[in-house]
Amino acid sequence: EVQLVESGGGLVQAGGSLRLSCAASGFTFDDYAIGWFRQAPGKEREGVSCISRGDGSTYYADSVKGRFTISSDNAKNTVYLQMNSLKPEDTAVYYCGAEFYPVVPGELDHDEYDAWGQGTQVTVSS
């Protein structure tokens, strides 16, 4: 069974930085992508960034381009999301998800993801 565990959330002032981690386990295949999503109260889950396990290709939502960086350490089965220049509107619960056998590169539609972590809260104060 695939399991994803997020960590690294917290409270930070606007302009600050946080690094989220997503530790993955239980994969018996290599064809998958890991995505970061976020959900603010009363809003739909929004795709932020994703990375292909196969070739390491990365993709970002326009709202975070130039501020967030996704990376992976395959030896540790961990995906990171470095978040810089944080804004109050980045406040949300952040989830990592796994898309098995991805078809469309850079998929950020949460409906296409097959497994989820429990989420970690990120709060950015103004």
Side-chain angles (χ1 to χ4, degrees):
E1 179 185 1
V2 170
Q3 291 190 328
L4 304 172
V5 179
E6 302 96 334
S7 61
L11 173 64
V12 64
Q13 289 188 331
S17 298
L18 281 174
R19 189 177 80 157
L20 305 183
S21 299
C22 173
S25 62
F27 281 101
T28 59
F29 50 93
D30 290 334
D31 190 7
Y32 61 89
I34 297 292
W36 283 101
F37 294 76
R38 63 189 181 186
Q39 190 164 17
K43 295 189 176 181
E44 287 196 5
R45 190 166 296 192
E46 172 193 17
V48 172
S49 181
C50 63
I51 186 168
S52 167
R53 172 65 170 80
D55 63 8
S57 298
T58 60
Y59 304 87
Y60 299 91
D62 288 343
S63 58
V64 305
K65 278 181 183 176
R67 300 189 299 124
F68 291 10
T69 302
I70 192 169
S71 62
S72 65
D73 184 334
N74 289 341
K76 294 183 178 180
N77 292 321
T78 300
V79 172
Y80 304 97
L81 185 69
Q82 177 67 44
M83 306 187 295
N84 298 330
S85 302
L86 282 162
K87 305 174 182 180
E89 51 263 44
D90 294 317
T91 295
V93 178
Y94 282 70
Y95 299 88
C96 65
E99 183 189 13
F100 303 161
Y101 306 106
V103 175
V104 177
E107 181 62 73
L108 287 176
D109 180 347
H110 62 85
D111 286 334
E112 300 299 321
Y113 280 68
D114 303 287
W116 294 95
Q118 81 288 351
T120 185
Q121 176 71 46
V122 171
T123 303
V124 184
S125 63
S126 56

